[in-house]
Amino acid sequence: MHFDQRTQRALREAGLENETIVEISDRVAELVVEDAARLESFFDDNGTVYSDMELAHGRSDHPEHAVEYCDLFTHGADLRGYLRFDSWGVPVEGGRVLRGEERPELVELSLGPTVDDRVKFARSRDAL
């Protein structure tokens, strides 16, 4: 079950049966797996992406990044992994597709230590 005890209690108080809560929890896990695959495909499709990340020595409002890989895994409702650029990398602690159902065009990741921020990535600077 991916809902904490308070959420489970609230759902039962709202009239949902335990079986329905389990089904919803399973669906949440399925959606996270689908999102992870879509996010990975965004970075696999294009070696260069643009972001709204603030870089200490950056000169651009939307810096360019050469991506080596994005490796994500899921556990229940959690999405985690690692995003590797050409010369550095950062842990990923969550993410979502913002635009592009079939082919993601704009995504957002929660990046871990060294960045510690939500960052949008796009296929072009104009998409940001």
Side-chain angles (χ1 to χ4, degrees):
M1 180 80 59
H2 308 296
F3 297 122
D4 63 41
Q5 291 179 342
R6 288 184 196 102
T7 303
Q8 290 177 45
R9 180 178 173 190
L11 292 170
R12 280 194 286 283
E13 288 174 358
L16 295 179
E17 298 292 327
N18 197 52
E19 183 177 313
T20 302
I21 296 170
V22 170
E23 289 172 7
I24 293 168
S25 178
D26 290 346
R27 181 63 181 140
V28 168
E30 290 171 7
L31 291 170
V32 172
V33 169
E34 290 172 15
D35 281 350
R38 292 172 61 215
L39 289 165
E40 283 182 337
S41 76
F42 171 83
F43 291 101
D44 287 346
D45 286 351
N46 190 352
T48 301
V49 296
Y50 303 90
S51 78
D52 65 354
M53 187 184 324
E54 290 186 30
L55 298 176
H57 303 288
R59 294 184 181 113
S60 174
D61 288 339
H62 302 297
E64 179 178 305
H65 307 278
V67 176
E68 282 192 27
Y69 65 86
C70 180
D71 183 24
L72 302 175
F73 65 92
T74 66
H75 179 73
D78 292 332
L79 184 147
R80 297 178 188 259
Y82 199 77
L83 178 59
R84 175 75 181 160
F85 300 107
D86 57 347
S87 63
W88 65 285
V90 63
V92 175
E93 300 175 354
R96 61 190 178 144
V97 175
L98 298 175
R99 190 178 326 131
E101 287 300 314
E102 295 298 316
R103 184 171 183 253
E105 300 168 17
L106 180 65
V107 302
E108 184 179 57
L109 299 177
S110 292
L111 302 181
T114 69
V115 177
D116 290 316
D117 202 2
R118 291 191 68 81
V119 177
K120 293 178 183 159
F121 294 92
R123 298 183 185 284
S124 70
R125 284 187 173 106
D126 294 337
L128 289 166

